[in-house]
């Protein structure tokens, strides 16, 4: 057995892992010590002890603080993954002891949040009201690292092909086209015939430059013989979209189910403009080979049922 293998399997203690994560988070010995409720010399001594185990420098110390080395980055990722599994197991045991059904954590894109995921959670709660569902909103760039580290059990959103990887297991649930939206009372809301040239003159909330949807939306403007809007705000956040619809009289683009859901609540108006863009389906991403908790498996089944009910409605 190699030295590193022996350290990872046997020598590292829970307090070592917690210290490494805190040091990576705060990048300062004093602030990490304060967070852990220990002295700074104790943190420094513990770090020296861990580095001696590995025979590697894990953090660089300077007057500006501490920075993980490439070796440190790898060990910190390992520490976060182990601590996430520890937290999950602790919560499962506590849930069984208290009579609750368990806990699951899901990362969700806006496209899945207000309709698909909300209905699935409602189904889950109908059968197991004490199951706790932690929901974290974001995009793939933010949520996939958390899924890989074990901080999330499941991802629900668009299955962008650029993020496919051997360690990820994906399952498509349904197609989800886009629609253009404005605030109720916007000048464009009453127009029955709209073209992309009409939108090009407006303030717009557009997806970030790295999103495949952004490129395809820009192409729609060019196909209509106009340049994309010049006055834009870039965001994938639903809160940002709603805020700027109201405050800047902007146009935004949302998944059809999301747009129609909030139109029924009077929060926005779907524009009479076709958005013929082919987009990846909405679906699930889990870690291949990772054991699923019963609560996570139940939520997955509820998501499948919610997607099926949506497609037959």
């Amino acid at each position: 057995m190699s030295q590193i293998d022996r350290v990872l399997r046997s020598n590292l203690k829970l307090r070592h892992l917690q210290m490494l994560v805190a040091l990576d988070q705060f990048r300062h010995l004093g602030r990490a010590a304060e967070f852990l409720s220990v002295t700074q010399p104790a943190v420094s001594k513990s770090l020296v002890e861990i580095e001696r185990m590995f025979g590697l420098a894990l953090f660089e110390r300077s007057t500006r603080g501490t920075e993980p080395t490439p070796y440190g980055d790898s060990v910190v990722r390992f520490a976060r993954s182990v601590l996430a599994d520890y937290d999950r197991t602790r919560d499962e045991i506590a849930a069984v002891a208290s009579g609750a059904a368990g806990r699951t954590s899901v990362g969700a894109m806006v496209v899945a949040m207000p309709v698909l995921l909300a209905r699935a959670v409602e189904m889950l709660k109908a059968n197991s009201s004490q199951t706790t569902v932690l929901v974290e909103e974001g995009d793939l760039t933010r949520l996939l690292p958390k899924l890989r580290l074990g901080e999330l059990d499941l991802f629900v959103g668009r299955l962008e092909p650029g993020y496919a990887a051997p360690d990820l297991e994906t399952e498509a649930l349904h197609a989800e086209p886009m629609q253009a939206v404005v605030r109720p009372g916007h000048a464009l809301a009453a127009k029955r015939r709209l073209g992309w040239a009409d939108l090009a003159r407006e303030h717009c909330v557009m997806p970030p430059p790295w999103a495949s949807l952004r490129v395809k939306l820009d192409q729609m403007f060019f196909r209509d013989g106009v340049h994309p809007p010049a006055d834009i705000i870039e965001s994938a956040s639903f809160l940002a979209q709603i805020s700027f619809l109201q405050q800047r009289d902007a146009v935004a683009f949302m998944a059809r189910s999301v747009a129609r859901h909030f139109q029924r609540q009077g929060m926005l108006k779907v524009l009479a403009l076709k958005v013929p863009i082919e987009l990846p389906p909405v679906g699930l991403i889990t870690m291949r080979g990772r054991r699923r908790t019963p609560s996570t498996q139940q939520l997955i089944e509820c998501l499948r049922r919610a997607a099926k009910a949506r497609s037959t409605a």
Side-chain angles (χ1 to χ4, degrees), residues 100-234:
R103 179 184 181 90
T104 186
S105 56
V106 55
M109 292 175 66
V110 174
V111 64
M113 184 78 74
V115 181
L116 177 65
L117 182 58
R119 290 175 181 170
V121 170
E122 184 179 357
M123 292 177 183
L124 178 66
K125 287 287 190 177
N127 293 325
S128 181
S129 62
Q130 290 184 297
T131 295
T132 300
V133 182
L134 184 151
V135 179
E136 185 165 347
E137 182 185 343
D139 53 39
L140 276 165
T141 59
R142 180 170 175 269
L143 296 177
L144 273 189
K146 289 178 173 287
L147 180 68
R148 286 191 163 104
L149 287 171
E151 295 174 5
L152 293 173
D153 298 308
L154 171 69
F155 168 86
V156 188
R158 289 206 186 273
L159 304 180
E160 296 283 355
Y163 289 87
D167 63 331
L168 302 177
E169 190 170 336
T170 62
E171 178 182 342
L173 294 177
H174 65 82
E176 185 66 80
M178 301 297 295
Q179 293 194 279
V181 300
V182 293
R183 67 165 180 82
H186 191 286
L188 295 182
K191 295 189 68 172
R192 292 183 176 275
R193 299 186 64 181
L194 281 174
W196 292 88
D198 296 301
L199 272 60
R201 294 187 289 268
E202 301 290 331
H203 312 306
C204 284
V205 184
M206 300 288 280
W210 49 259
S212 61
L213 175 59
R214 174 62 178 279
V215 176
K216 293 177 180 180
L217 285 173
D218 285 346
Q219 290 172 345
M220 295 305 301
F221 285 101
F222 288 125
R223 282 177 53 185
D224 213 37
V226 295
H227 285 279
D231 185 350
I232 65 171
I233 293 168
E234 298 174 332

Side-chain angles (χ1 to χ4, degrees), residues 2-310:
S2 70
Q3 176 184 350
I4 292 177
D5 192 46
R6 184 165 49 251
V7 172
L8 293 176
R9 289 176 179 271
S10 306
N11 295 356
L12 280 180
K13 306 294 191 294
L14 190 62
R15 62 181 176 83
H16 293 145
L17 302 179
Q18 292 169 331
M19 189 275 293
L20 289 169
V21 170
L23 199 53
D24 179 61
Q25 180 177 347
F26 295 103
R27 304 294 173 98
H28 189 275
L29 287 169
R31 287 195 286 273
E34 183 179 356
F35 175 77
L36 296 169
S37 299
V38 298
T39 64
Q40 182 171 327
V43 171
S44 182
K45 179 181 178 181
S46 184
L47 178 57
V48 170
E49 178 185 347
I50 297 169
E51 289 181 323
R52 187 177 296 119
M53 290 181 195
F54 281 99
L56 300 168
L58 302 182
F59 284 84
E60 293 180 355
R61 291 78 150 174
S62 71
T63 55
R64 297 187 300 274
T66 58
E67 292 287 333
T69 65
Y71 303 117
D73 282 332
S74 297
V75 176
V76 167
R77 282 196 297 273
F78 169 79
R80 288 186 183 276
S81 178
V82 171
L83 290 175
D85 282 340
Y86 168 83
D87 289 341
R88 186 181 296 108
T89 302
R90 178 201 60 202
D91 292 342
E92 287 179 19
I93 294 172
V96 172
S98 67
R103 179 184 181 90
T104 186
S105 56
V106 55
M109 292 175 66
V110 174
V111 64
M113 184 78 74
V115 181
L116 177 65
L117 182 58
R119 290 175 181 170
V121 170
E122 184 179 357
M123 292 177 183
L124 178 66
K125 287 287 190 177
N127 293 325
S128 181
S129 62
Q130 290 184 297
T131 295
T132 300
V133 182
L134 184 151
V135 179
E136 185 165 347
E137 182 185 343
D139 53 39
L140 276 165
T141 59
R142 180 170 175 269
L143 296 177
L144 273 189
K146 289 178 173 287
L147 180 68
R148 286 191 163 104
L149 287 171
E151 295 174 5
L152 293 173
D153 298 308
L154 171 69
F155 168 86
V156 188
R158 289 206 186 273
L159 304 180
E160 296 283 355
Y163 289 87
D167 63 331
L168 302 177
E169 190 170 336
T170 62
E171 178 182 342
L173 294 177
H174 65 82
E176 185 66 80
M178 301 297 295
Q179 293 194 279
V181 300
V182 293
R183 67 165 180 82
H186 191 286
L188 295 182
K191 295 189 68 172
R192 292 183 176 275
R193 299 186 64 181
L194 281 174
W196 292 88
D198 296 301
L199 272 60
R201 294 187 289 268
E202 301 290 331
H203 312 306
C204 284
V205 184
M206 300 288 280
W210 49 259
S212 61
L213 175 59
R214 174 62 178 279
V215 176
K216 293 177 180 180
L217 285 173
D218 285 346
Q219 290 172 345
M220 295 305 301
F221 285 101
F222 288 125
R223 282 177 53 185
D224 213 37
V226 295
H227 285 279
D231 185 350
I232 65 171
I233 293 168
E234 298 174 332
S235 178
S237 164
F238 172 74
L239 180 59
Q241 290 177 317
I242 289 293
S243 298
F244 292 120
L245 288 185
Q246 302 295 333
Q247 296 175 15
R248 301 205 75 240
D249 232 15
V251 178
F253 297 89
M254 293 182 184
R256 182 172 62 188
S257 64
V258 177
R260 291 181 177 179
H261 173 78
F262 287 106
Q263 179 174 251
R264 287 192 293 270
Q265 297 186 11
M267 295 178 62
L268 51 82
K269 180 70 175 177
V270 176
L271 292 180
L273 175 73
K274 291 184 177 180
V275 186
I277 294 175
E278 291 188 9
L279 292 168
V282 173
L284 315 174
I285 301 179
T286 54
M287 291 301 297
R288 191 179 301 278
R290 178 180 292 168
R291 181 181 64 86
R292 296 173 183 171
T293 67
S295 298
T296 299
Q297 188 59 44
Q298 289 172 22
L299 180 57
I300 289 173
E301 294 298 330
C302 290
L303 284 162
R304 290 169 178 158
R305 286 165 50 204
K308 185 176 181 180
R310 176 192 174 282

